[in-house]
Amino acid sequence: MAANFMPPPATVHQAVQPLAFLLGTWRGQGEGRFPTISPFAYSEELNFSHSPNKKPIITYSSKTWKLNTNQPMHAESGYWRPQIDGTIEVVIAQSTGLAEVQKGTFDAEQRIVKLKSALVGNASKVKQITRVFKVGNEELSYVVEMATNLNDLQPHLEASLKKI
Ligand code: HEM
């Protein structure tokens, strides 16, 4: 008689476990600024997901809307690829056509991920992008800085979101 097949229990991949604090859907608001533009406010939905028993990859997506009017703004998606040694590589495709490869580090105890662009492609103005994500007090907050052909690295986006 054939033995019943029992699939292994669903587990978060070992390399993803230290970043499990990111997993889920987050909603909140942010503010944008840069010396060359008018400040603006936005709402955002951000998702980090991982398929148990699969590759050590977190799927990432962000959608934003103009605050008050709900008119769609920027969107982006990509893959976060954590390594066992605490380093991480992230690829992101933006709705503007810009493509970025980010490299950095994460600290599971501090619940912080720090990323710096290793590559910015198909961008007319952007030279460099940094992203810092933190989770604390049940909030995910991030700061995105950019450098352009005219301006040094400085904040473009700051947002704070709660898990839904
Ligand atoms: C402007 C890049 C994310 C909304 C800009 C500019 C650049 C840029 C290069 C033009 C700056 C200049 O002309 O000197 C980026 C990059 C992003 C990003 C690299 C992500 C890493 C976002 C997001 C939003 C947004 C998430 C909306 C929630 C805007 C707005 C402007 C702007 C409203 C001003 C546009 C205008 O005045 O014509 N961004 N952006 N950006 N960005 Fe972003």
Side-chain angles (χ1 to χ4, degrees):
M1 197 167 83
N4 286 336
F5 173 71
M6 290 290 289
T11 51
V12 172
H13 193 285
Q14 188 193 357
V16 171
Q17 273 167 13
L19 285 175
F21 62 87
L22 287 175
L23 299 177
T25 300
W26 303 79
R27 277 198 198 133
Q29 293 181 4
E31 290 179 357
R33 63 193 149 108
F34 208 65
T36 45
I37 66 172
S38 302
F40 59 93
Y42 61 94
S43 57
E44 179 169 29
E45 183 171 309
L46 208 153
N47 179 268
F48 291 97
S49 49
H50 169 66
S51 298
N53 295 330
K54 295 227 174 120
K55 293 182 176 175
I57 292 166
I58 296 171
T59 306
Y60 160 79
S61 67
S62 156
K63 286 183 195 166
T64 59
W65 296 266
K66 200 173 164 85
L67 206 63
N68 302 327
T69 68
N70 288 337
Q71 184 191 345
M73 292 181 87
H74 180 104
E76 59 186 36
S77 62
Y79 298 99
W80 290 44
R81 297 156 31 83
Q83 310 295 316
I84 301 286
D85 66 0
T87 61
I88 182 164
E89 186 181 285
V90 176
V91 292
I92 296 176
Q94 300 193 7
S95 55
T96 53
L98 184 150
E100 58 185 297
V101 175
Q102 296 272 350
K103 292 194 179 180
T105 55
F106 58 88
D107 184 322
E109 275 182 23
Q110 304 281 319
R111 296 189 163 199
I112 186 164
V113 184
K114 294 181 182 172
L115 303 171
K116 188 176 172 184
S117 54
L119 184 151
V120 175
N122 200 33
S124 55
K125 295 180 178 173
V126 183
K127 299 294 175 202
Q128 198 190 348
I129 302 167
T130 64
R131 297 173 181 256
V132 176
F133 291 77
K134 284 183 203 166
V135 173
N137 297 327
E138 298 181 8
E139 283 200 341
L140 181 152
S141 59
Y142 69 77
V143 177
V144 174
E145 298 200 340
M146 69 176 172
T148 63
N149 51 343
L150 296 179
N151 290 95
D152 292 338
L153 193 67
Q154 57 196 288
H156 181 37
L157 308 167
E158 286 182 53
S160 181
L161 304 95
K162 285 193 184 302
K163 202 179 273 194
I164 60 165

